[in-house]
Amino acid sequence: MADVIDTRSSGTEQAWTALGGDPALLDRIDGGGPAGLLPTRLPVMELARSTVAVCALAAAELAARRAGSTVGPVERVRVDDGAVATAFLSERHLRVDGRAPTNFAPLSRFWRTTDGWVRTHANYPHHRVRLLAALGLPADAGVDAVAAVLAERRAVEIEETVYAAGGLAVALRTPEEWAAHEQGAAIATRPLLTLDRTEGPGQVGARRLPAVSGSPLLPAAGVRVLDLTRVLAGPVATRTLALLGADVLRIDAPQLPESQDAHNDTGFGKRSVSLDLGDRADRATFDELLAAADVLVTGYRPGALETYGLTPETLAVRRPGLVLAQVSAWGRYGPWHERRGFDSLVQVATGIAAVEGDAGTPGALPAQALDHGTGYLLAAGVLRALTEQHDDGGSRLLRLALGQTAHWLCGGLTRAQDPHGSSEAYDPSETYDPSETYDPEKYLGSTDSALGRLRHALPPVSFAGGPADWSCPPGRLGSDAPKWRTTTA
């Protein structure tokens, strides 16, 4: 199969530039695979392969640095579109003893309103309760009752009423309407991501990771990662860091419900701990873990964790040399900066659902590509931060948002694929060999776990000498001890 990724004109170069990577390393990427995967009007397959490519390249770069080289050699990265597309649909491919999990609850869907459409998200029980309460409906109300109420109200009115009650609902907007919206305009002025040093050179606590070797080569070996994220971008990122050797401890609050099925997909290689940061004893345990952590990844809405002192400024003092990686739905700016959000809702707000729709009916991307793509960018950013630290120490702050990824998909990435601004669908078969067929079974694995026999997507992040499969299956949420497994890096 010929190498066909054009890193000089694709989203790979855009993403690598945003990460501050050396452009010369783009020549280390090879790629190919079946044609026509993740078909859509927007260049979703390009987003998928680009985010996986830069994640793999960042892993290979860190591996080379920790192996004792200052400029290389960086191992070659292989991006297989079949593996990428399968991974971007990992939650749909998951089976637990042959059972397919339910990814969306009945009240997580589109609804007609008097002036258009609105989409709600009610996968979590507390979000379902808040949605129904905001609509004046009993807690056991079903689809028909909700549809009747929403059909008599305006979409934006529903959006504001439900959000005020702590629920999730977003009115369908066109790309033009989102561009004119204050939040959309704020996102449009921001880069795809930011990766910054959070203190001056020479601050006490600047650390370098020790050298690594062995087979497979694990660039994140010995790195301790605290994972305070939930569905789906953050867990994808930390699953990837675990693949690359990091000791990942996922922390969940016992009072917040979480989907075991979601963790069955994104919990590979991790351990899971239940801690209530509002409890004095649990907080002391968390502080002990934080004192020895190298990376803290957070995925809660902005403001939710700051009350516990987990701000960049405080953490830079408490844990010098920490990499703080934050992902949110809407960014930490604009009128929506403290709002909750999920991939499906961001698609609706930003105009993606309108672009992907037909005959006045909203549509959706063929995968939760904003979540998965942002997840691989998040992992790539952490790896690049560790590489920068290896060179000059210091703390790092990495920030991403699903809204920024959506803006990239609809803006710069689309223009990179079509400089003439055509609205026609991007067709990967124009670039990839149409003679190669896609068989998802090639990119799926099976493993026994405490939860049953798991069928799962294999890792799409691949570089020469690197790992080809997850280190261990996920366990039950909250079942592990709050202790680090590795020695301090």
Side-chain angles (χ1 to χ4, degrees):
M1 184 196 325
D3 296 334
V4 294
I5 289 182
D6 182 358
T7 60
R8 297 300 180 181
S9 61
S10 71
T12 306
E13 182 177 14
Q14 295 178 8
W16 189 242
T17 299
L19 289 162
D22 179 357
L25 294 181
L26 290 169
D27 291 336
R28 308 302 296 170
I29 301 174
D30 303 322
L37 304 182
L38 303 181
T40 179
R41 293 187 174 94
L42 292 167
V44 171
M45 193 62 226
E46 175 62 16
L47 178 146
R49 79 167 68 91
S50 296
T51 55
V52 170
V54 296
C55 185
L57 187 58
E61 179 191 33
L62 179 60
R65 202 66 108 246
R66 294 187 66 186
S69 174
T70 58
V71 295
V74 172
E75 298 289 356
R76 298 204 70 82
V77 166
R78 180 70 183 176
V79 184
D80 184 322
D81 267 16
V84 171
T86 303
F88 266 61
L89 294 167
S90 61
E91 67 276 6
R92 300 186 199 177
H93 287 296
L94 179 71
R95 297 292 184 272
V96 183
D97 286 335
R99 175 185 62 84
T102 299
N103 292 311
F104 283 95
L107 299 188
S108 297
R109 49 165 283 184
F110 284 106
W111 311 85
R112 280 194 177 274
T113 68
T114 59
D115 59 348
W117 295 84
V118 70
R119 180 153 189 165
T120 55
H121 194 287
N123 284 3
Y124 289 119
H126 58 296
H127 289 160
R128 183 181 188 278
V129 168
R130 293 169 186 172
L131 169 66
L132 294 173
L135 300 179
L137 292 171
D140 60 351
V143 171
D144 291 343
V146 173
V149 170
L150 297 183
E152 298 178 351
R153 301 176 66 173
R154 294 172 54 248
V156 172
E157 175 199 350
I158 296 165
E159 176 183 277
E160 294 301 326
T161 300
V162 173
Y163 264 108
L168 294 108
V170 170
L172 178 71
R173 291 174 172 84
T174 66
E176 294 76 18
E177 289 170 336
W178 180 243
H181 189 277
E182 189 175 352
Q183 187 65 36
I187 287 175
T189 65
R190 265 71 178 187
L192 174 59
L193 57 90
T194 57
L195 175 56
D196 300 307
R197 185 166 179 147
T198 54
E199 91 290 344
Q203 179 168 324
V204 174
R207 295 169 294 116
R208 292 188 179 185
L209 296 172
V212 294
S213 61
S215 180
L217 186 57
L218 301 175
V223 175
R224 292 172 160 180
V225 179
L226 279 178
D227 177 7
L228 275 68
T229 70
R230 309 182 83 191
V231 178
L232 178 61
V236 166
T238 51
R239 178 182 65 183
T240 304
L241 295 174
L243 166 75
L244 299 171
D247 184 9
V248 179
L249 274 180
R250 171 173 170 146
I251 309 294
D252 282 288
Q255 67 271 24
L256 289 179
E258 184 56 291
S259 167
Q260 179 65 50
D261 275 341
H263 184 61
N264 292 343
D265 173 39
T266 60
F268 284 88
K270 309 178 192 178
R271 290 177 296 134
S272 172
V273 175
S274 178
L275 291 176
D276 180 1
L277 298 188
D279 176 83
R280 180 175 298 179
D282 281 3
R283 179 57 190 274
T285 299
F286 176 81
D287 287 344
E288 290 179 4
L289 294 171
L290 178 62
D294 302 294
V295 179
L296 172 62
V297 185
T298 69
Y300 290 78
R301 64 185 176 88
L305 295 175
E306 279 76 356
T307 57
Y308 300 105
L310 302 181
T311 66
E313 297 78 13
T314 301
L315 289 169
V317 174
R318 290 181 59 189
R319 180 55 169 150
L322 183 74
V323 174
L324 173 59
Q326 299 175 325
V327 61
S328 61
W330 309 106
R332 293 175 172 263
Y333 42 77
W336 286 15
H337 72 279
E338 290 188 341
R339 289 195 177 190
R340 301 171 179 86
F342 294 90
D343 182 308
S344 59
L345 300 183
V346 176
Q347 289 188 41
V348 173
T350 59
I352 291 174
V355 170
E356 295 299 327
D358 187 49
T361 302
L365 298 177
Q368 294 188 73
L370 303 181
D371 262 330
H372 284 274
T374 303
Y376 288 109
L377 286 175
L378 184 63
V382 169
L383 296 166
R384 287 246 60 253
L386 293 171
T387 295
E388 290 184 359
Q389 280 187 330
H390 191 274
D391 294 342
D392 59 8
S395 302
R396 295 296 188 281
L397 173 60
L398 171 67
R399 283 177 169 166
L400 298 93
L402 301 186
Q404 290 168 213
T405 305
H407 180 71
W408 181 48
L409 174 65
C410 298
L413 187 56
T414 301
R415 287 191 295 272
Q417 288 300 314
D418 184 1
H420 303 293
S422 170
S423 60
E424 295 182 0
Y426 167 62
D427 182 5
S429 66
E430 295 177 359
T431 304
Y432 277 63
D433 182 0
S435 66
E436 183 167 354
T437 58
Y438 171 58
D439 177 10
E441 293 298 324
K442 176 182 176 182
Y443 306 103
L444 297 174
S446 294
T447 186
D448 290 318
S449 76
L451 303 162
R453 183 72 173 173
L454 300 181
R455 189 193 76 170
H456 55 87
L458 294 171
V461 173
S462 176
F463 61 95
D469 201 353
W470 315 108
S471 60
C472 64
R476 194 162 298 280
L477 280 164
S479 63
D480 293 296
K483 296 179 180 179
W484 293 114
R485 176 185 295 134
T486 60
T487 57
T488 302

